[in-house]
């Protein structure tokens, strides 16, 4: 059966959000970026006219576009807007695969009876996005994911492109081979030397030639040139647990050393947990001994929590309860029983307001600087 896949991508996403939230920025060249990396995350279409683009160093962008207005990244806000867009898509079909903050595939095969023809559905999605977020997006619809992604990019911004199954061959005849996802500048160059400029040029050589030449990639390239891509739209599955573990270079017998590792792991797990907006209730400690025998110990708290300190305290208690006599080869900590949404403010988990403020401050600093600079006092203490 012919599938129908929709791909949606927001236009100049971060910059458009800034322009929507601040009328003074509308119609002006806006560059979102800065921070420690000092690069442009994205630029408004007004700024792109000067040659400014994503990943460009700020100083270079300022040279190209001195009147460009630089605004800092507000990730939390973009996530919020992204959530609104994804919610609209989930209203169309349960088969939604979010591929990045501003982009998703939806399998709309067989939704005609419910939502009408594809073009009307796409128009309805675009207008719902506009109404809810004040932003424009570009949509592509095609018989598979790869063609849908190319289609959404064709008429940016505010574009809508539909490639029907019987148009695919014609479409590929004139498609530059570099438009095929996975064909980067280097591959494009190499293909150019073989006289392959358009997707259809790939088909002048047999499949065996491409496999000999490029292996698996060659087989994929050949499929793409035929317009084939069987990959399914894979709805995001929620994580069941978040964990970290480490095998020591040499087996460890010092409890202090084990606790230190455990704290670093609790930091890591806690940060990921909070970053994803989850809380959890069950802490699991995993130990592998020098003789490769392993064990796990878990404890479930009455209330969900997300504080690194609570995670560590429970993990450490589980460790101390073991009264270890053997040397340890691996240690790890994890959290499960996850749920989404705000944590209830009760004391049953032992999570205090102070824990929360500390976590928030550390998460923030870590996202601004690099990992490893900041460690809680305890990790710096001698054994
Ligand atoms: P894109 O969809 O690649 O770009 P865009 O939405 O800004 O513009 P377009 O209209 O061409 O789709 O990326 C989405 C967001 O991801 C973008 O607004 C900012 C962020 N991003 C970065 O932070 N760094 C990058 O290098 C890229 C490419 C994107
Ligand atoms: Mg985009």
């Amino acid at each position: 059966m012919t599938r129908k896949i929709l791909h949606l991508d927001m236009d100049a996403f971060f910059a458009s959000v800034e322009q929507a939230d601040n009328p003074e920025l509308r119609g002006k060249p806006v560059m979102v970026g800065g921070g420690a990396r000092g690069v442009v995350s994205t630029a408004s279409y007004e700024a792109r006219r000067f040659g400014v683009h994503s990943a460009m160093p700020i100083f270079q962008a300022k040279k190209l576009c001195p009147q460009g207005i630089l605004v800092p990244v507000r990730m939390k806000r973009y996530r919020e807007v992204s959530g609104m867009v994804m919610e609209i898509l989930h209203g169309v079909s349960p088969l939604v695969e979010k591929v990045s903050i501003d982009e998703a595939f939806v399998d709309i095969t067989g939704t005609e009876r419910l939502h009408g023809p594809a073009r009307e559905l796409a128009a309805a999605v675009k207008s719902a996005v506009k109404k809810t977020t004040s932003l424009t997006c570009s949509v592509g619809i095609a018989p598979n994911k790869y063609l849908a992604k190319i289609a959404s990019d064709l008429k940016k911004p505010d574009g809508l492109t539909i490639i029907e199954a019987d148009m695919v061959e014609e479409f590929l005849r004139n498609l530059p081979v570099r438009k095929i996802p996975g064909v980067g500048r280097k591959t494009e160059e190499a293909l150019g030397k073989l006289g392959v400029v358009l997707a259809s040029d790939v088909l002048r050589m047999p499949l065996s030639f491409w496999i000999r030449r490029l292996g698996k990639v060659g087989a994929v390239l050949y499929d793409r040139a035929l317009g084939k891509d069987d990959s399914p739209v894979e709805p995001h599955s929620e994580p069941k647990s978040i964990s970290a573990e480490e095998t020591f270079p040499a087996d460890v017998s010092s409890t202090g050393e084990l606790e230190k590792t455990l704290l670093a792991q609790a930091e890591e797990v806690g940060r990921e947990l909070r970053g994803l907006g989850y809380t959890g209730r069950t802490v699991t400690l995993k130990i592998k001994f020098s003789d490769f025998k392993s064990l796990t110990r878990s404890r479930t708290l009455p209330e969900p929590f997300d504080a690194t300190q609570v995670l560590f305290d429970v993990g450490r208690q589980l460790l101390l309860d073991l009264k270890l006599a053997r040397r340890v080869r691996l240690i790890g900590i994890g959290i499960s029983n996850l749920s989404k949404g705000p944590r209830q403010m009760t004391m049953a988990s032992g999570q205090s307001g102070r824990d929360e403020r500390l976590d928030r401050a550390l998460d923030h600093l870590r996202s601004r600087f690099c990992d490893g600079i900041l460690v809680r006092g305890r990790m710096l203490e001698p054994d």
Side-chain angles (χ1 to χ4, degrees):
M1 188 183 59
T2 313
R3 295 187 298 155
K4 266 204 168 74
I5 310 297
L6 180 151
H7 180 257
L8 178 147
D9 189 299
M10 302 300 291
D11 300 324
F13 186 48
F14 295 3
S16 304
V17 172
E18 296 302 336
Q19 289 177 321
D21 287 356
N22 180 0
E24 278 175 26
L25 297 175
R26 291 181 202 163
K28 298 199 180 134
V30 173
M31 313 184 294
V32 180
R37 286 182 57 220
V39 295
V40 175
S41 293
T42 196
S44 70
Y45 278 77
E46 294 86 354
R48 288 183 198 192
R49 256 173 247 133
F50 294 85
V52 179
H53 59 75
S54 293
M56 179 181 272
I58 303 275
F59 75 89
Q60 196 181 340
K62 279 190 170 155
K63 240 187 256 170
L64 286 173
C65 180
Q67 66 274 56
I69 304 166
L70 182 66
V71 289
V73 176
R74 289 186 303 147
M75 214 54 201
K76 195 169 158 228
R77 175 68 180 138
Y78 312 142
R79 280 208 196 97
E80 189 177 75
V81 178
S82 172
M84 295 181 207
V85 175
M86 298 302 154
E87 209 173 304
I88 292 170
L89 296 179
H90 279 283
V92 171
S93 155
L95 292 174
V96 177
E97 178 180 343
K98 177 175 171 177
V99 269
S100 78
I101 190 161
D102 86 326
E103 184 192 349
F105 290 104
V106 189
D107 191 332
I108 57 165
T109 312
T111 61
E112 278 94 343
R113 273 183 50 207
L114 196 64
H115 297 300
R119 187 169 293 277
E120 281 170 34
L121 170 63
V125 165
K126 279 167 63 79
S127 90
V129 167
K130 184 83 203 253
K131 201 167 156 209
T132 321
T133 66
S134 318
L135 303 176
T136 62
C137 61
S138 295
V139 169
I141 294 178
N144 59 49
K145 283 166 77 171
Y146 121 78
L147 289 170
K149 184 165 168 79
I150 295 177
S152 73
D153 198 48
L154 279 184
K155 295 185 192 143
K156 257 184 176 297
D158 204 13
L160 170 55
T161 304
I162 298 180
I163 306 172
E164 301 284 357
D166 59 4
M167 289 159 49
V168 170
E169 209 183 318
E170 170 72 29
F171 177 78
L172 290 170
R173 198 167 306 145
N174 300 311
L175 186 78
V177 74
R178 83 181 113 79
K179 291 272 185 187
I180 297 178
V183 176
R185 204 169 296 159
K186 282 213 179 111
T187 315
E188 184 191 3
E189 228 177 86
L191 290 173
K193 287 188 185 137
L194 295 166
V196 174
V197 179
L198 301 174
S200 49
D201 294 335
V202 172
L203 301 176
R204 285 194 278 119
M205 266 78 87
L207 172 63
S208 56
F209 170 87
W210 292 113
I211 293 180
R212 218 174 326 118
R213 198 104 195 173
L214 301 168
K216 250 190 198 157
V217 175
V220 173
L221 182 69
Y222 195 82
D223 261 1
R224 299 297 180 264
L226 284 170
K228 270 172 58 181
D229 172 17
D230 294 330
S231 59
V233 172
E234 291 180 291
H236 173 68
S237 54
E238 304 284 318
K240 295 219 161 26
S241 65
I242 299 170
S243 60
E245 60 177 53
E246 189 180 334
T247 304
F248 296 108
D251 297 343
V252 170
S253 52
S254 139
T255 311
E257 176 86 0
L258 293 174
E259 284 182 33
K260 219 158 59 173
T261 308
L262 202 63
L263 178 57
Q265 292 172 340
E267 294 279 7
E268 197 182 309
V269 171
R271 179 153 45 108
E272 192 175 343
L273 184 71
R274 292 184 294 275
L276 292 167
Y278 282 102
T279 55
R281 280 181 57 206
T282 304
V283 179
T284 301
L285 174 79
K286 176 176 167 186
I287 301 274
K288 203 183 263 181
F289 296 101
S290 47
D291 58 4
F292 285 87
K293 290 210 173 91
S294 61
L295 61 79
T296 58
R297 290 287 181 271
S298 296
R299 214 177 110 202
T300 299
L301 301 190
E303 294 282 343
F305 68 93
D306 65 4
T308 293
Q309 190 65 50
V310 178
L311 187 59
F312 173 66
D313 287 344
V314 176
R316 176 169 176 269
Q317 201 50 56
L318 289 169
L319 176 69
L320 297 179
D321 289 349
L322 286 174
K323 303 198 171 39
L324 292 178
R326 275 177 293 173
R327 283 184 306 147
V328 170
R329 183 181 155 72
L330 169 151
I331 190 166
I333 190 169
I335 184 159
S336 55
N337 232 326
L338 304 181
S339 47
K340 201 113 198 185
R343 190 180 44 75
Q344 284 158 15
M345 246 345 255
T346 69
M347 288 297 118
S349 67
Q351 177 163 334
S352 69
R354 185 185 164 275
D355 290 339
E356 214 166 290
R357 283 192 298 278
L358 180 63
D359 282 339
R360 224 180 302 131
L362 288 177
D363 287 350
H364 177 67
L365 283 170
R366 265 203 205 84
S367 65
R368 294 194 48 206
F369 303 101
C370 41
D371 274 350
I373 289 178
L374 294 156
V375 280
R376 276 164 215 257
R378 186 183 174 97
M379 286 166 74
L380 300 172
E381 287 163 16
D383 278 349

